[in-house]
Amino acid sequence: MCGIVGYIGRRQAYPVLIKGLKRLEYRGYDSAGVALITETKGLEVYKTKGKVADLEAYVEDKDVTGTVGIAHTRWATHGEPNATNAHPHISCSGNLALIHNGIIENYTVLKEALQRHGVAFKSSTDTEVLVQLIDYIQQHLKTDLLTAVRLALRQVIGAYAIAILDRNEPNQIIAARKSSPLVVGIGDDEFFLGSDASPIIEYTDKVVYLDDNDIAVLRRGAKEAEFVNFDNEKIEHDVKTVDLDLGQIEKGGYPHFMLKEIFEQPKSLRDCMRGRVNVEANNVVLSAVIDYRKELINARRYIIVACGTSWHASLIGKQLLESICQIPVEVEYASEFRYSNPVIDSRDVVIAISQSGETADTLAAIQLAKERGAFIFGICNAIGSSIPRATNTGCYIHVGPEIGVASTKAFTGQVTVLTMLALALGKARGTINNTDYVNLVRELDSIPQKMEKVLEQNDHVRDISRVFTYARNFLYLGRGYNYPVALEGALKLKEISYIHAEGYPAAEMKHGPIALIDDEMPVVVVATQNPLYDKLMSNIQEIKARNGRVIAIVTEGDEKVKALADEFVELPQTIECLEPLLSTIPLQLLAYHIAVQKGKNVDQPRNLAKSVTVE
Ligand code: M6R
């Protein structure tokens, strides 16, 4: 959840670190800080509550010289967001500065032990225990930093990505990882550190992804980074090349990343389908399905685990896989699954869906399923992240980096991969007839073009949003494939505009939520022309009979719903199971424009962070 950056080399470290923090700010923005070995004063730490821009203002008159440093942007877990709890934390001796992403579960025990030995703590964070413990070991055993880090980490339970500077060993950074992501960038006579590759790619495309229990030693002037385990045994890592360009992680003229990412969807889906959907051959090819055909087609059951938006995509995946492949599918919140003692064994396939590939609950669910012998298939976006590395196989969604905290293009990418998976498996299992298969392949291929038509209505959706900015509650209704779309629309609105919103299967409305409807309640109804259309018409009538305000998402040319609704957005016709790829777009735009009208920080909504790497 927090962002970590480090640099050692020939350049001035501060500009590299600040730029890196800005790229990682999506991971948390409660406070920010930097530690540098400066040219005049040695180890200096500057930190402040608030965003990276606040840190920049704070250090304006300070010495930020030096060619080695570490920096941090925080999403608070233990201890309120203030300057004292901000990272880097400094050890008692004043020699060490440390930044951390993760949670130290046994910090109370360690803290009490250190306090008994006279160590005075300044902050209320779990992190500070790490720097004090390493310092204590260093002082008492008279060891170098690497030895102290190794010995300290043996006593630590929890998740961490850390980086440490030592004023007495100014020509190195030591970093370590367990269950929180960390990437080392390898340049010419210089090294970089990042929670992901985004702070690094401007300088080098050569990276090493740390594994759990790895310690990295980045020494000035060394040709290579060194990696060791807690026993000081050398670890060899392949240097990977990252395929990411700067344009992908910048706003590109849009006022917010979220709007950019909503508009990117036609392109990102083309990227997602490239090399996989072939309309000339009327075919969908997924290498994972070719390589693991036996495991995937013979499974007795699929279980999809995910959180948040990825969980909503999973609900659509269940309908796709069940109807096209005739495989029973269960969908679980990863956070519940991990503690539910599930009945699962080697006949099951677990599909883990995650944009970031770092969600702690989803990773833990994978771990549990693996222990019970299930075959694990990952659907992720972030290349090289922890979840794809923990699975047996999988598919990247390839929609490019998603920076806005509210997930948009990842959702449509996940649904697209699930559709391709259902088609590939359905064909392999013989559960879909050729006509339906070919129609679906062709229609899927045409979705990006249809998305462009939906996006042309952006101004219209903005006008609708102006009418409803006053609302304090919203209902979202949908049926069948559009029920998860209703859930997703409600989540988008909640997280960026702070308006209370609920998604419901439309027919459930009469079992309770209908009591909420009055002339102030906007109800967004996905009422496209599919086999459930007439039922939805009745639901809309029920809302109108109680003076509710209906914003309808309709199929082009539909006059009946339009006549009933207060507002409407039209979608091109498509096959029912592909409708979510279109119907979700007006809901993303509606949430976006309402939040903007209300003056909210769309890309950095309060209390949230992009990847939830803590429980
Ligand atoms: O990276 P993941 O897909 O695993 O993240 C899961 C959720 O944390 C995420 O979808 C969250 O709900 C988003 N903020 C929704 O917009």
Side-chain angles (χ1 to χ4, degrees):
M1 318 270 294
C2 305
I4 282 184
V5 198
Y7 176 76
I8 183 164
R10 301 165 275 111
R11 303 167 203 258
Q12 286 295 303
Y14 177 74
V16 177
L17 297 173
I18 284 293
K19 212 182 245 186
L21 282 188
K22 287 185 178 159
R23 301 234 161 96
L24 290 178
E25 210 168 10
Y26 71 88
R27 301 178 69 88
Y29 28 84
D30 290 331
S31 63
V34 58
L36 297 157
I37 308 259
T38 66
E39 283 157 14
T40 52
K41 297 190 189 138
L43 182 63
E44 285 290 309
V45 172
Y46 308 115
K47 50 191 193 171
T48 180
K49 181 179 172 175
K51 303 206 158 74
V52 178
D54 298 303
L55 177 66
E56 279 185 290
Y58 177 71
V59 301
E60 225 164 41
D61 55 350
K62 312 266 189 311
D63 178 1
V64 289
T65 58
T67 52
V68 53
I70 55 178
H72 187 267
T73 178
R74 179 172 187 239
W75 185 83
T77 57
H78 296 56
E80 67 171 281
N82 59 28
T84 312
N85 290 334
H87 303 212
H89 289 280
I90 311 170
S91 64
C92 263
S93 68
N95 289 340
L96 308 183
L98 176 145
I99 53 177
H100 167 223
N101 169 31
I103 287 185
I104 306 307
E105 285 167 18
N106 62 338
Y107 84 99
T108 318
V109 180
L110 294 172
K111 185 172 178 174
E112 284 167 4
L114 286 164
Q115 282 171 326
R116 282 197 293 278
H117 287 86
V119 176
F121 281 74
K122 298 181 206 81
S123 76
S124 35
T125 64
D126 55 331
T127 298
E128 193 185 348
V129 80
L130 289 172
V131 74
Q132 303 296 14
L133 180 62
I134 296 167
D135 188 81
Y136 183 85
I137 293 172
Q138 219 185 10
Q139 303 293 320
H140 284 76
L141 299 184
K142 307 273 179 264
T143 65
D144 60 8
L145 179 63
L146 175 59
T147 310
V149 169
R150 286 195 299 106
L151 296 177
L153 291 182
R154 284 167 192 253
Q155 299 180 49
V156 170
I157 300 171
Y160 51 80
I162 54 171
I164 314 154
L165 285 185
D166 182 346
R167 81 160 76 233
N168 296 319
E169 298 180 52
N171 291 315
Q172 70 173 13
I173 301 175
I174 292 198
R177 163 197 161 126
K178 183 165 188 205
S179 303
S180 289
L182 201 53
V183 185
V184 173
I186 317 237
D188 288 338
D189 298 326
E190 58 184 351
F191 299 107
F192 303 82
L193 265 182
S195 294
D196 64 32
S198 63
I200 298 172
I201 54 162
E202 190 166 341
Y203 312 100
T204 176
D205 61 356
K206 302 279 173 281
V207 299
V208 168
Y209 294 98
L210 263 64
D211 286 329
D212 280 352
N213 303 321
D214 282 359
I215 300 174
V217 186
L218 311 179
R219 290 189 217 278
R220 186 189 299 285
K223 283 276 158 270
E224 286 173 5
E226 281 170 42
F227 302 97
V228 295
N229 62 19
F230 294 173
D231 296 325
N232 208 21
E233 291 161 349
K234 213 167 168 205
I235 296 165
E236 296 298 337
H237 272 296
D238 289 342
V239 176
K240 303 249 185 325
T241 305
V242 257
D243 180 19
L244 193 67
D245 71 69
L246 273 182
Q248 289 178 292
I249 53 170
E250 284 170 357
K251 282 190 201 149
Y254 286 90
H256 298 100
F257 279 111
M258 182 179 177
L259 191 63
K260 175 187 177 228
E261 288 158 7
I262 292 172
F263 270 85
E264 268 174 2
Q265 289 176 104
K267 176 185 179 302
S268 61
L269 287 211
R270 286 187 182 107
D271 292 343
C272 175
M273 290 191 271
R274 184 162 301 121
R276 293 165 165 175
V277 172
N278 182 342
V279 265
E280 277 76 49
N282 286 321
N283 209 1
V284 170
V285 179
L286 291 181
S287 51
V289 175
I290 296 171
D291 296 345
Y292 294 92
R293 185 184 157 95
K294 185 168 65 61
E295 291 82 348
L296 293 171
I297 69 168
N298 294 332
R300 71 164 172 175
R301 176 181 63 155
Y302 279 31
I303 301 168
I304 313 183
V305 291
C307 303
T309 288
S310 302
W311 186 80
H312 297 153
S314 308
L315 295 176
I316 296 169
K318 171 183 164 73
Q319 297 184 54
L320 286 162
L321 287 163
E322 289 193 334
S323 67
I324 297 176
C325 311
Q326 301 294 299
I327 301 173
V329 181
E330 289 167 25
V331 177
E332 301 276 355
Y333 282 117
S335 52
E336 289 295 314
F337 178 82
R338 62 185 293 192
Y339 293 116
S340 64
N341 193 14
V343 180
I344 174 170
D345 62 33
S346 58
R347 293 167 296 173
D348 297 315
V349 168
V350 167
I351 302 181
I353 306 186
S354 171
Q355 185 287 129
S356 62
E358 299 293 349
T359 299
D361 286 323
T362 311
L363 259 171
I366 291 173
Q367 209 47 52
L368 174 68
K370 261 182 165 176
E371 282 159 18
R372 301 200 174 180
F375 184 83
I376 318 289
F377 188 98
I379 298 179
C380 295
N381 190 32
I383 314 281
S385 53
S386 302
I387 291 176
R389 290 192 286 148
T391 54
N392 296 97
T393 186
C395 285
Y396 282 113
I397 60 174
H398 287 310
V399 298
E402 191 182 67
I403 314 260
V405 167
S407 190
T408 52
K409 64 177 179 172
F411 176 75
T412 45
Q414 290 162 347
V415 173
T416 302
V417 164
L418 285 160
T419 310
M420 293 189 288
L421 180 64
L423 284 167
L425 286 175
K427 192 173 184 192
R429 283 168 60 88
T431 49
I432 180 167
N433 68 51
N434 197 47
T435 313
D436 289 349
Y437 180 84
V438 169
N439 285 343
L440 263 170
V441 172
R442 289 198 175 154
E443 187 59 20
L444 184 60
D445 185 66
S446 74
I447 287 290
Q449 221 179 330
K450 294 188 175 180
M451 279 180 155
E452 278 157 6
K453 287 195 80 180
V454 182
L455 287 164
E456 282 168 15
Q457 297 175 77
N458 179 42
D459 289 350
H460 172 55
V461 179
R462 190 187 51 217
D463 293 342
I464 297 176
S465 77
R466 291 198 174 117
V467 183
F468 293 98
T469 307
Y470 73 88
R472 302 191 59 197
N473 298 288
F474 259 77
L475 260 184
Y476 285 74
L477 304 178
R479 298 188 76 151
Y481 284 96
N482 284 313
Y483 157 52
V485 172
L487 295 177
E488 176 60 8
L491 177 64
K492 289 291 87 93
L493 187 71
K494 279 188 265 223
E495 60 182 343
I496 59 170
S497 73
Y498 318 144
I499 294 174
H500 170 247
E502 302 223 26
Y504 263 91
E508 279 297 299
M509 184 181 62
K510 57 186 171 296
H511 298 289
I514 199 163
L516 295 168
I517 292 177
D518 61 17
D519 57 2
E520 295 212 334
M521 175 67 106
V523 187
V524 180
V525 190
V526 186
T528 42
Q529 271 170 354
N530 60 40
L532 292 164
Y533 175 76
D534 289 335
K535 309 279 175 208
L536 271 151
M537 276 291 289
S538 308
N539 298 138
I540 294 174
Q541 299 275 14
E542 288 157 13
I543 300 163
K544 289 313 295 176
R546 285 151 186 91
N547 297 322
R549 314 275 307 273
V550 171
I551 305 163
I553 311 301
V554 303
T555 307
E556 260 168 11
D558 181 328
E559 294 307 324
K560 283 204 263 176
V561 177
K562 270 160 61 176
L564 276 178
D566 298 83
E567 308 286 348
F568 61 86
V569 183
E570 291 183 297
L571 305 181
Q573 175 89 50
T574 187
I575 297 175
E576 186 187 6
C577 68
L578 302 180
E579 280 182 3
L581 294 170
L582 303 180
S583 55
T584 198
I585 291 178
L587 306 196
Q588 295 169 346
L589 288 171
L590 184 68
Y592 171 79
H593 287 300
I594 290 179
V596 170
Q597 307 287 329
K598 289 176 76 81
K600 304 299 180 204
N601 187 337
V602 170
D603 283 334
Q604 296 176 342
R606 71 181 179 206
N607 305 339
L608 291 175
K610 184 71 182 160
S611 53
V612 184
T613 54
V614 294
E615 243 195 90

